Amino acid sequence: MNNKPFSRGKRIARMVILDLLSFGAALLVFAYFHHVRQRPLSPTAALPDAPAPVSTPAPTSTPVQAETSSPAAQMPAPAETPTGLLGGKYAEKFSADEVIFTDTEYRSKNVALELRTEFLYESRIHIVEIYLQDIRCFQTAVYDQFGEEPLRTMEMARLTPAIAALSGDYFSAHLNHSMCIIRNGQFYMDKQPDKYDTCVLYEDGVLETIAEEDFDREAVLARGAYQAWCFGPALLDGAGKAIPSFKSSTIRTNNPRSAIGYFEPGHYCFVMVEGRSDTSAGITLEDFSVFFEELGCKAAYNLDGGKTAELVWNGELVNERLTGGRSVSDILIIVDTEEGGGAQ
């Protein structure tokens, strides 16, 4: 009796099984390094000191001749020069005398936040519009400030003075890649970005997204880098227009997402889109891009999404946590102190 066909079949079956086992092992290794194993974090160095900003001299009054009894002869006092990132704009949004904190707004001398939820693209989209007088009120928190293990966004936010918090770029899961990571003026990684757009927030409140081929480390530092996130992609082009296609991205389909938008120095937004549920589909990168253009942003940047994407307001989740959520290495936070104090 000829057993060759049977033996050949057994060999093929063994090969298929071995291939499947190898593929499964590869997936486990990826999951371990991407979502489980975390390299210890610590800033590698402080950034070089940026040149001190040039202050605008206070206007001087025109000398007055000898005092006269006529009130008309007295020169009026010079108007006060507007200060802060916004230069006097949106003054009506702030509250100089008292702090106002409700379920949908926060107003003080330095910070004004407005929370709203819209239903677009078959999804719940949560938006925090942000107005700041002091860039130090815009910070990032990193889990190594609080312990040795990554934390979920809400749990980390509760350990800080955050008014609002958004999940970040989960940079600790990508430390084997080349990227530039800056948190509150300190380097966590100082490499030329490779295959990543970088989002940089500067000391003067300007935010920009930079493609890997255009990233100039020395220019970024000379400009006064304060934060640098590395996930992406950038969601608007250099003219603030929607990008029609994200062919190079592997995460183009409908998903929960988080992103930061930029209007002008001192004016930003946090955006979180719910997804993967019967009541909220999630959003594609192409639609997310159109959303930010219609919002009026000049720049926008996609952060880590899926189970990572979470938005927190006053210590509570705004969105429904997706299948338990995911622990992350970092979050974006808005705080409010006279000095723009840091996470405690």
Side-chain angles (χ1 to χ4, degrees), residues 180-229:
C180 179
I181 302 295
I182 300 171
R183 296 293 183 266
N184 305 324
Q186 291 187 308
F187 275 116
Y188 275 79
M189 178 168 281
D190 182 12
K191 292 184 179 180
Q192 179 69 24
D194 181 22
K195 301 179 182 179
Y196 285 89
D197 295 337
T198 302
C199 181
V200 183
L201 177 64
Y202 297 100
E203 295 277 356
D204 62 2
V206 172
L207 181 146
E208 69 172 340
T209 58
I210 309 172
E212 57 168 316
E213 63 270 17
D214 298 326
F215 189 88
D216 183 334
R217 176 187 183 277
E218 300 308 317
V220 166
L221 295 185
R223 180 80 172 75
Y226 172 54
Q227 312 282 354
W229 299 283

Side-chain angles (χ1 to χ4, degrees), residues 150-164:
L151 297 164
R152 287 167 174 77
T153 297
M154 181 180 71
E155 285 72 16
M156 201 185 311
R158 287 177 171 177
L159 298 173
T160 76
I163 308 160

Side-chain angles (χ1 to χ4, degrees), residues 64-75:
V64 181
Q65 299 289 333
E67 185 175 338
T68 173
S69 58
S70 172
Q74 301 296 325
M75 298 296 293

Side-chain angles (χ1 to χ4, degrees), residues 34-35 167-174 177-181 183 193-199 210 228-234 249-251 256-259 285 301-306 308-309 326 330:
H34 190 272
H35 297 309
S167 47
D169 60 5
Y170 199 0
F171 73 91
S172 68
H174 307 281
H177 300 283
S178 291
M179 54 182 65
C180 179
I181 302 295
R183 296 293 183 266
D194 181 22
K195 301 179 182 179
Y196 285 89
D197 295 337
T198 302
C199 181
I210 309 172
W229 299 283
C230 203
F231 193 90
S249 176
T250 60
I251 51 171
R257 298 190 187 277
S258 60
L285 285 177
Y301 189 75
N302 185 59
L303 297 164
D304 197 7
T308 300
R326 178 184 292 139
D330 57 298

